[in-house]
Amino acid sequence: MSLRRLLLKACVLLSLFSLSPVFAQNSGVVQILMPKTVYTGDRCELKYVFHSDADLFSDNITGQVTSFMELNAQWPSFDKFSDKCFIQNVELERSGFEYTLTLSFIPWKAGVIDFAAFDLAGLIRYTVDPEKPGTGAVFLIDFEPITVNSISEKLGIDSIQPSSGPAVVPGTVWILAVLAFVFIAVCAVIFLIIIRLPDLLLLTANSRAVFRRKRICKKTVKLLRKLLKSKKSDMEFCQELKVIVTDYLCSRFDKGFNVLTTKEIYVKFREICCDSLTENQEGAAQCFTEVLSRCDYIRFAAGSIDAARQPAEEYEASLKTGERKRLVNLCIDAVEKIRQEEE
């Protein structure tokens, strides 16, 4: 009688197991943790690689043929781990008979995290339809315990550190980027200026010299035109005209012009130009020589025998009609020729 009861109990147990089938999981499970050494606050990945004949991606479960699936990390069964870590996402991938389950999480506190065994098939069914996950075969996943280290122990900090303000004021990153760009540009300009400093100094000196020569030219032309409008006597006119021309030559070329005779003016010009006068320089030298020669004759020939020679209009020590204008125009023309040569 007892033997029959034992057989009856065995049949009942077999029938119960048949109502709740469990997928077979082959051996050869590999668990990979990245990073190998975990600290609180790290973003970790736990990969669980296993082989199984079970088709976890069967149409009966997922409703479609697939080899990759992102599972729902909000599965209620994961709530029991919330006090130790935050599960960000869960992924399942298949390649032949090999499955890779990836669990991404962030540990909250130091210690050992022992993920309790959970039903992977149930998680898949919950991902497909959270409202009606249904029931079916069970496929248990049991991770090995994970040790989480304390970052404070790693840094040797045993007390609460005072709070510090943000390194950058929120919303000012673009301003700092612009300032950094401006700083680099200014440094580059300064570097180029240092390299080209000799050229810049030479350019500055040349610019100042050009400005000075233009100023002398304008001043001389202005004095000549003012002299032409004056009512001075012929001798006074010639005396002042000579002073204007001599001052111009001394300011523009060499102080030595004020001690030269009229005949030496042309020689001085050739000396300054290294015995190689251009057309404009040649014309300017001839104009100044002619003007100064005429001024010298008017100034010194008055009452002399030469001034009494005939014809009087050629030898008398006085300026002819329109000659003042001609002399002034000769001087202006000479100044302009020199300016054109410089340009």
Side-chain angles (χ1 to χ4, degrees):
M1 186 69 179
S2 61
L3 180 60
R4 292 181 61 184
R5 295 183 66 180
L6 289 174
L7 290 174
L8 181 60
K9 289 182 178 180
C11 291
V12 172
L13 290 174
L14 288 173
S15 63
L16 290 174
F17 279 116
S18 63
L19 292 174
S20 180
V22 178
F23 281 133
Q25 180 177 330
N26 297 336
S27 60
V29 175
V30 178
Q31 180 171 305
I32 303 171
L33 178 63
M34 295 182 294
K36 292 183 178 180
T37 304
V38 177
Y39 292 94
T40 53
D42 288 346
R43 188 183 186 279
C44 308
E45 277 193 358
L46 182 60
K47 290 184 178 294
Y48 189 84
V49 183
F50 60 93
H51 292 74
S52 177
D53 297 335
D55 186 4
L56 296 174
F57 289 106
S58 172
D59 296 349
N60 296 329
I61 301 178
T62 64
Q64 59 182 350
V65 178
T66 181
S67 60
F68 174 84
M69 189 174 187
E70 184 173 349
L71 305 177
N72 194 336
Q74 307 300 321
W75 192 34
S77 297
F78 287 154
D79 292 343
K80 66 182 84 173
F81 310 130
S82 60
D83 62 331
K84 296 181 180 180
C85 66
F86 168 64
I87 298 177
Q88 291 181 303
N89 63 294
V90 184
E91 297 174 349
L92 181 64
E93 186 176 3
R94 180 183 66 182
S95 177
F97 294 105
E98 182 181 271
Y99 288 86
T100 302
L101 177 65
T102 303
L103 184 71
S104 299
F105 67 97
I106 299 176
W108 295 133
K109 59 183 180 180
V112 177
I113 299 179
D114 188 2
F115 292 102
F118 62 91
D119 179 16
L120 178 58
L123 174 57
I124 295 174
R125 286 190 292 269
Y126 180 82
T127 301
V128 174
D129 189 357
E131 300 296 331
K132 298 179 180 179
T135 59
V138 176
F139 195 96
L140 294 179
I141 297 294
D142 190 7
F143 291 114
E144 295 178 4
I146 298 170
T147 301
V148 179
N149 299 282
S150 173
I151 191 67
S152 60
E153 293 179 1
K154 177 185 176 182
L155 300 176
I157 300 173
D158 55 5
S159 60
I160 298 176
Q161 300 297 308
S163 60
S164 58
V168 179
V169 179
T172 61
V173 175
W174 67 273
I175 298 177
L176 295 178
V178 172
L179 292 177
F181 176 78
V182 172
F183 176 76
I184 294 173
V186 170
C187 290
V189 171
I190 293 174
F191 179 73
L192 291 176
I193 290 175
I194 293 175
I195 293 178
R196 304 301 299 272
L197 186 59
D199 295 337
L200 292 174
L201 292 176
L202 180 60
L203 178 62
T204 302
N206 289 338
S207 300
R208 293 179 61 184
V210 169
F211 176 77
R212 177 176 173 273
R213 290 194 293 266
K214 287 184 177 181
R215 186 178 61 184
I216 292 171
C217 176
K218 289 182 179 180
K219 179 182 177 181
T220 302
V221 172
K222 183 177 180 180
L223 290 174
L224 289 170
R225 288 173 176 168
K226 182 179 179 180
L227 176 62
L228 183 61
K229 296 178 181 180
S230 66
K231 303 297 182 180
K232 298 179 181 294
S233 64
D234 290 346
M235 185 176 296
E236 291 173 340
F237 176 86
C238 291
Q239 175 64 32
E240 188 166 345
L241 182 58
K242 179 179 177 65
V243 171
I244 293 173
V245 172
T246 303
D247 287 347
Y248 168 75
L249 294 175
C250 290
S251 300
R252 176 60 188 81
F253 296 107
D254 193 332
K255 294 294 183 181
F257 274 99
N258 60 355
V259 295
L260 297 178
T261 62
T262 300
K263 293 181 179 180
E264 295 173 334
I265 295 291
Y266 184 81
V267 177
K268 186 67 174 178
F269 259 99
R270 293 191 64 87
E271 178 183 334
I272 292 173
C273 299
C274 301
D275 291 328
S276 179
L277 294 175
T278 64
E279 182 178 352
N280 284 333
Q281 292 169 344
E282 180 80 25
Q286 290 179 357
C287 288
F288 284 135
T289 301
E290 179 181 348
V291 170
L292 294 179
S293 296
R294 181 59 176 164
C295 289
D296 288 343
Y297 183 82
I298 298 298
R299 291 168 57 211
F300 301 114
S304 66
I305 297 176
D306 285 342
R309 293 170 58 188
Q310 296 296 324
E313 61 273 9
E314 181 178 347
Y315 294 102
E316 63 181 351
S318 61
L319 295 174
K320 303 174 185 177
T321 303
E323 191 172 6
R324 290 191 178 197
K325 184 177 181 180
R326 188 181 73 85
L327 294 176
V328 168
N329 287 339
L330 281 174
C331 292
I332 293 176
D333 185 56
V335 171
E336 288 296 325
K337 286 180 182 296
I338 294 175
R339 184 186 62 81
Q340 292 172 7
E341 184 64 26
E342 292 170 352
E343 292 179 353

